[in-house]
Amino acid sequence: MKLTFLGATGTVTGSKYLLERGKQRILVDCGLFQGHKELRLRNWDPLPINPASIDAVILTHAHIDHSGYLPLLVRNGFQGKVYCSEATEALCRILLPDSAFLHEEDARRANRYGYSKHHPALPLYTQEDAEAALTLFEPIAFGWPCDVGGGMRVVLSRSGHILGSAFVQVTDGRRTVVFSGDIGRMHDPIMHSPAQLQDADYLLVESTYGDRQHAETDPVEEIGEVVRSTVAAGGSVVIPAFAVGRAQLILYCLYQLKQRGMMPDVPVYLDSPMAISATDLFRRFHQEHKLSAELAERVCDVATYTRTVEASKAILQSPMPAVIISASGMATGGRVLHHLKHFITDARNTILFSGFQAGGTRGDRLLRGEKEIKIHGEMFPVRARIENLENMSAHGDYVEILSWLSHFHRPPRQTFITHGEPEAAASLKEKIENAYGWRVTIPEYLESVELD
Ligand SMILES: [Zn+2]
């Protein structure tokens, strides 16, 4: 087999790995690049191979940096099947059309206000492209081998990161390649722990937190402190949250605060149609997480759901302090931008980020203390308090990654570190070498390796 790294090298975004065996080509993950402009521009470059020549795509999970390139792949000729878990498919039915909508919105806005150098500015892909991609999905069960052609079989096991997320094992009968996708937490309040894999000839392991350990703080108390102090000052809390996973975890924390009597009596809004739909799936796929159907229901009832634009705008008109959960999580798009424009200029308010912020995103800039932020082509002074929840991540830290690796019965012939900023990847490489003495490399963008 031959492996080519088409993304997630030196960055946490753009996951795409091409695996070839003879004439058979499969792509594991099909993610968009996000963050810094030079990365985002890569989405516009043609792939080094013709998409029509790819036989199948396998998705580890639904996050856009793992699935969001699919509509473009299909528009450019891919006609094979897209294999993934049932919940991943259900989430993609929400996320891909939304991603297309955001690209269309960006293009429309750029055309209206003339802040793109392209005339007319075009979206990366459209909602029709997303719908076309969705017709190719073929959900597969966890733990059941699935023949993906060319003598290759795929098995999914739960990775505990978000609903439906999976480790992908590909075998050709001789060698096994394991793709970690994103590795969840050992002790998440909602998600099950990642499955313990024991065998890989070649291993790709993510390194988002390869150089860091999560704080041991209780996110419930952290959110409680921020909400209480902000509301006491007469301000509102805006929580940019990833619609899938994080938004539900925040609802769970707010539910816990209410149960403990530690939550001021202010309205809570979930203002993201996508997060609302993802919350519906959180109820439907309750066997995928630790909460019972009944508890999941009560957690979901903590917030008022604002589906329409009018309802969303009405939040801004209310003089009352409020807690507003909205997407996107790194403030790169979505309704949260309207809330930022409205709330970020007032020192009484708090913008509370809830997880990893990729370099170059608005979330990253704000957490680095930038005093002005550009939204929709306009500059806004940053006066609100900017905070980050330190222990909300859906990714294991390096201790959790090392612990997951400890279950392998023998060292893989080669371990590839992907899906991390350069410092994080380098640090994880060193840690794995020191702890286990494995052969570890950090692949470059577009590098190919023969898997003997
Ligand atoms: Zn993810």
Side-chain angles (χ1 to χ4, degrees):
M1 288 185 279
K2 184 175 143 196
L3 175 65
T4 306
F5 298 88
L6 301 180
T9 48
T11 162
V12 296
T13 68
S15 281
K16 273 181 228 85
Y17 310 108
L18 178 69
L19 196 56
E20 294 170 274
R21 183 175 191 266
K23 286 206 163 89
Q24 193 75 7
R25 289 177 157 172
I26 62 172
L27 195 60
V28 177
D29 278 343
C30 191
L32 271 191
F33 287 104
Q34 297 169 313
H36 287 297
K37 191 166 184 186
E38 71 266 21
L39 278 177
R40 281 184 281 127
L41 286 175
R42 276 188 193 166
N43 294 323
W44 296 85
D45 294 341
L47 285 182
I49 47 151
N50 180 1
S53 72
I54 299 171
D55 298 285
V57 172
I58 297 114
L59 297 181
T60 59
H61 65 293
H63 276 150
I64 286 298
D65 59 321
H66 295 258
S67 74
Y69 191 82
L70 263 178
L72 201 50
L73 194 78
V74 172
R75 187 168 77 194
N76 292 335
F78 172 71
Q79 291 180 318
K81 285 187 173 148
V82 179
Y83 297 101
C84 61
S85 70
E86 201 188 337
T88 294
E89 186 206 7
L91 283 168
C92 282
R93 291 198 176 278
I94 302 167
L95 290 172
L96 294 183
D98 181 80
S99 169
F101 174 75
L102 293 179
H103 286 294
E104 289 175 338
E105 277 275 274
D106 277 351
R108 265 196 295 272
R109 208 182 297 275
N111 287 325
R112 195 176 326 140
Y113 300 109
Y115 58 75
S116 164
K117 57 178 183 290
H118 302 282
H119 301 288
L122 294 173
L124 185 65
Y125 53 79
T126 64
Q127 294 182 70
E128 276 115 69
D129 298 325
E131 292 302 331
L134 289 169
T135 63
L136 304 176
F137 274 63
E138 180 104 354
I140 55 178
F142 282 103
W144 289 86
C146 169
D147 191 340
V148 294
M152 290 190 278
R153 273 182 305 138
V154 164
V155 179
L156 306 182
S157 351
R158 287 193 168 82
S159 74
H161 170 63
I162 59 166
L163 275 190
S165 68
F167 301 128
V168 171
Q169 265 172 290
V170 184
T171 176
D172 66 353
R174 208 170 78 86
R175 298 286 180 224
T176 299
V177 191
V178 168
F179 299 82
S180 77
D182 291 353
I183 306 173
R185 307 291 304 274
M186 292 297 156
H187 306 287
D188 189 88
I190 295 181
M191 299 304 295
H192 292 293
S193 308
Q196 299 175 357
L197 300 191
Q198 294 166 350
D199 192 45
D201 294 298
Y202 296 94
L203 171 64
L204 284 78
V205 63
E206 69 125 327
S207 57
T208 313
Y209 285 94
D211 56 348
R212 270 173 286 176
Q213 236 185 311
H214 296 308
E216 301 226 335
T217 49
D218 177 356
V220 176
E221 291 190 359
E222 250 186 305
I223 296 183
E225 187 283 315
V226 169
V227 172
R228 286 191 300 272
S229 59
T230 306
V231 169
S236 290
V237 181
V238 177
I239 310 180
F242 302 92
V244 177
R246 208 66 42 85
Q248 293 76 38
L249 182 52
I250 290 162
L251 290 178
Y252 175 79
C253 291
L254 295 173
Y255 168 78
Q256 290 289 335
L257 283 172
K258 286 202 168 173
Q259 289 296 103
R260 297 179 199 174
M262 292 166 69
M263 176 78 187
D265 189 19
V266 294
V268 174
Y269 298 102
L270 183 62
D271 185 32
S272 155
M274 193 170 48
I276 294 170
S277 303
T279 305
D280 289 340
L281 293 183
F282 177 76
R283 291 185 175 110
R284 181 173 136 206
F285 287 98
H286 65 85
Q287 73 282 11
E288 291 252 341
H289 55 69
K290 292 180 187 168
L291 309 190
S292 66
E294 192 209 351
L295 181 54
E297 202 61 48
R298 275 189 277 144
V299 166
C300 295
D301 284 345
V302 159
T304 301
Y305 295 7
T306 47
R307 292 170 202 270
T308 63
V309 173
E310 291 70 38
S312 174
K313 284 184 178 158
I315 299 173
L316 301 179
Q317 256 102 60
S318 165
M320 283 275 293
V323 175
I324 303 153
I325 307 162
S326 189
S328 71
M330 302 190 204
T332 50
R335 281 191 189 173
V336 78
L337 295 185
H338 297 281
H339 295 297
L340 288 187
K341 278 159 60 170
H342 186 83
F343 289 102
I344 208 165
T345 56
D346 187 332
R348 290 174 301 174
N349 300 322
T350 302
I351 314 299
L352 179 59
F353 287 93
S354 55
F356 187 83
Q357 305 295 314
T361 57
R362 282 194 194 84
D364 175 59
R365 286 164 191 272
L366 287 169
L367 285 173
R368 285 175 190 278
E370 289 198 8
K371 295 281 171 251
E372 259 194 328
I373 197 85
K374 193 176 191 178
I375 304 173
H376 298 147
E378 200 184 330
M379 297 305 289
F380 292 84
V382 178
R383 298 197 191 95
R385 175 176 156 201
I386 309 291
E387 294 280 350
N388 193 20
L389 292 164
E390 297 290 340
N391 196 12
M392 262 271 163
S393 179
H395 291 265
D397 59 20
Y398 77 81
V399 176
E400 290 166 296
I401 296 172
L402 287 178
S403 152
W404 181 69
L405 296 176
S406 72
H407 299 288
F408 284 87
H409 281 166
R410 59 188 167 89
R413 297 162 75 91
Q414 189 81 50
T415 297
F416 302 99
I417 311 255
T418 60
H419 200 288
E421 307 276 342
E423 313 80 61
S427 172
L428 186 63
K429 175 181 191 294
E430 202 185 303
K431 289 185 169 80
I432 296 175
E433 286 167 344
N434 289 343
Y436 304 125
W438 292 3
R439 284 183 59 198
V440 184
T441 48
I442 302 174
E444 305 265 321
Y445 181 48
L446 302 181
E447 185 177 333
S448 284
V449 193
E450 286 294 341
L451 308 181
D452 297 328

